[in-house]
Amino acid sequence: MSSQPPTDTVAASAPPASNGTGGEPVIRAENVWKIFGAKADSIIGTPDAELSRSELRAKTGCVAAVHDVSLEVWPGEVFVVMGLSGSGKSTLVRTLIRLIEPTAGSIEIAGRNVTKASASELRALRRTSVSMIFQHFGLLAHRRVIDNVAFGLEIRGVGKAERLARAEEVLKLVGLDEVGNSFPDQLSGGMQQRVGVARAFAADPSVMLYDEPFSALDPLIRRDMQDEVMRLQQDTGKTMVFITHDLPEALRLGDRIAIMRDGKIVQLGTGEELVGSPADEYVENFVRDVPRSHVLTLRWIMRTPEPGEESDGPELDVTTTVRDAVPVLAASEKPVRAIEDGRVLGVVDRVAVLKAIAGEGG
């Protein structure tokens, strides 16, 4: 059985506490559909819309790549969409900026109504507010690295001196300030991907969309690029939507993760929520091999203190992972007190830790 979160665990639909922001989401998508096939828009709202993907294809010849998806992405959040090939994750992200036209639904980005935007408004949105990074980053082989980074600004009509100065600034940000005069084919695959990231950052967008950008890279380079994304997010506070089929990558990067299957979001929550309380057998199979002690925090396994426990024993922040709490607990005869903002929320004893590691829950 999957474990249940404590009563004060942040709800899956809430913004991550770590971003410290209030107000409106940067991205809001409501009831978004993308159906491929003839007369696709006539299917929505009928009983056919509730058929499984295979049944719908057999009956109508249409494919529901995105099925009635709603989500919100908050300022400074890294929001990961993951699923197997064909789950609809890349189609969903492309509908957000209408690289693929949604069949139905509404989408807002940075306060702009994307679904009602004109062609010129869409171009402006893509040039100024949203940058997208693909697996194949499409660098211009005949132009220097610094010119590749400045290319988006050049398209926008930014003067040469200004765009090159901005390109130099961003190259320094990603650790490539010494290769600005090189050409792409003189760089390694990982460095070329950094150039692609720098080009996206150069426009100073509100939102960064990553569509499986590192899946073709070697494992070590891929991990380095994940580190780079996390560092850039911390340094810049950019809102990021990251597409992947790789669960360890999703858990490493995401403040929240949406798992998709057959065009639907089957669970949306923090990595801890997905690992600790999978919504169904599909999600449970996804997270089965994840070491629970690496993901679950004290918040997940703590209990109410008994008399005397609240004022005695070692303290750890409630966000400490079970793995990191083990040495502290092993060195003490008393339970660990889980602290948030100087207040004891609960305590964690050795029994709770062993149960968490064994997969029995909190």
Side-chain angles (χ1 to χ4, degrees):
M1 293 292 293
S2 61
S3 60
Q4 296 300 315
T7 56
D8 59 352
T9 296
V10 177
S13 59
S18 60
N19 67 27
T21 58
E24 295 296 311
V26 178
I27 300 174
R28 177 184 281 121
E30 296 181 346
N31 308 116
V32 174
W33 292 76
K34 179 57 189 179
I35 301 178
F36 293 98
K39 299 181 180 179
D41 54 349
S42 66
I43 293 173
I44 299 169
T46 72
D48 286 347
E50 302 310 314
L51 296 175
S52 70
R53 182 178 281 184
S54 59
E55 290 171 334
L56 180 66
R57 184 189 297 114
K59 182 175 180 179
T60 68
C62 294
V63 175
V66 176
H67 187 287
D68 197 21
V69 167
S70 297
L71 57 85
E72 293 176 334
V73 181
W74 297 84
E77 181 176 17
V78 179
F79 186 94
V80 174
V81 183
M82 72 160 295
L84 301 177
S85 178
S87 63
K89 57 188 185 297
S90 290
T91 301
L92 171 62
V93 170
R94 282 168 165 77
T95 64
L96 295 180
I97 53 174
R98 287 175 55 192
L99 289 177
I100 294 177
E101 288 288 344
T103 307
S106 64
I107 299 163
E108 292 182 5
I109 296 180
R112 302 184 189 183
N113 190 320
V114 177
T115 41
K116 295 183 178 180
S118 65
S120 60
E121 289 170 337
L122 271 180
R123 285 194 296 270
L125 177 76
R126 295 167 186 166
R127 289 176 181 175
T128 61
S129 297
V130 181
S131 287
M132 193 158 187
I133 302 169
F134 299 92
Q135 177 181 333
H136 304 291
F137 22 90
L139 302 181
L140 303 173
H142 64 289
R143 304 189 71 168
R144 297 176 304 163
V145 165
I146 194 168
D147 296 318
N148 270 278
V149 174
F151 184 69
L153 299 176
E154 181 179 347
I155 296 297
R156 284 164 54 178
V158 176
K160 184 174 182 179
E162 182 180 349
R163 68 177 184 258
L164 291 180
R166 173 60 179 165
E168 288 180 357
E169 178 184 332
V170 178
L171 282 172
K172 187 174 183 180
L173 184 67
V174 300
L176 292 178
D177 46 314
E178 296 184 357
V179 300
N181 289 317
S182 301
F183 289 89
D185 63 1
Q186 296 175 298
L187 306 181
S188 67
M191 293 175 75
Q192 289 182 33
Q193 188 61 286
R194 285 175 189 261
V195 175
V197 171
R199 181 175 60 189
F201 268 88
D204 195 25
S206 302
V207 178
M208 306 284 292
L209 303 179
Y210 293 82
D211 189 7
E212 299 203 67
F214 311 143
S215 59
L217 299 178
D218 293 336
L220 291 179
I221 299 175
R222 181 171 186 161
R223 188 172 182 85
D224 286 344
M225 289 305 303
Q226 293 167 4
D227 290 339
E228 188 71 12
V229 167
M230 292 189 292
R231 183 184 68 80
L232 288 170
Q233 199 282 332
Q234 290 176 350
D235 289 349
T236 66
K238 294 293 182 187
T239 303
M240 300 182 180
V241 178
F242 197 99
I243 307 303
T244 184
H245 64 270
D246 183 74
L247 181 61
E249 184 169 71
L251 292 171
R252 195 155 187 256
L253 297 177
D255 291 310
R256 289 186 300 154
I257 302 166
I259 295 185
M260 293 191 69
R261 181 186 188 189
D262 291 342
K264 301 177 183 179
I265 292 179
V266 295
Q267 187 168 0
L268 195 167
T270 64
E272 186 174 13
E273 289 165 342
L274 267 58
V275 171
S277 186
D280 59 18
E281 186 177 355
Y282 182 75
V283 180
E284 189 171 359
N285 286 333
F286 250 117
V287 303
R288 178 168 294 160
D289 296 328
V290 175
R292 293 165 59 86
S293 64
H294 294 200
V295 179
L296 299 185
T297 66
L298 300 188
R299 184 188 297 276
W300 198 265
I301 65 171
M302 65 187 182
R303 60 171 172 80
T304 302
E306 296 178 0
E309 288 182 331
E310 192 168 338
S311 59
D312 195 12
E315 295 181 354
L316 288 174
D317 190 275
V318 72
T319 61
T320 304
T321 63
V322 171
R323 176 181 60 175
D324 292 339
V326 166
V328 177
L329 196 57
S332 173
E333 294 298 322
K334 300 182 181 297
V336 167
R337 293 179 290 164
I339 305 296
E340 183 177 58
D341 297 328
R343 182 169 61 95
V344 177
L345 294 187
V347 297
V348 174
D349 55 29
R350 296 179 183 181
V351 172
V353 168
L354 290 172
K355 285 183 177 181
I357 293 174
E360 296 177 13

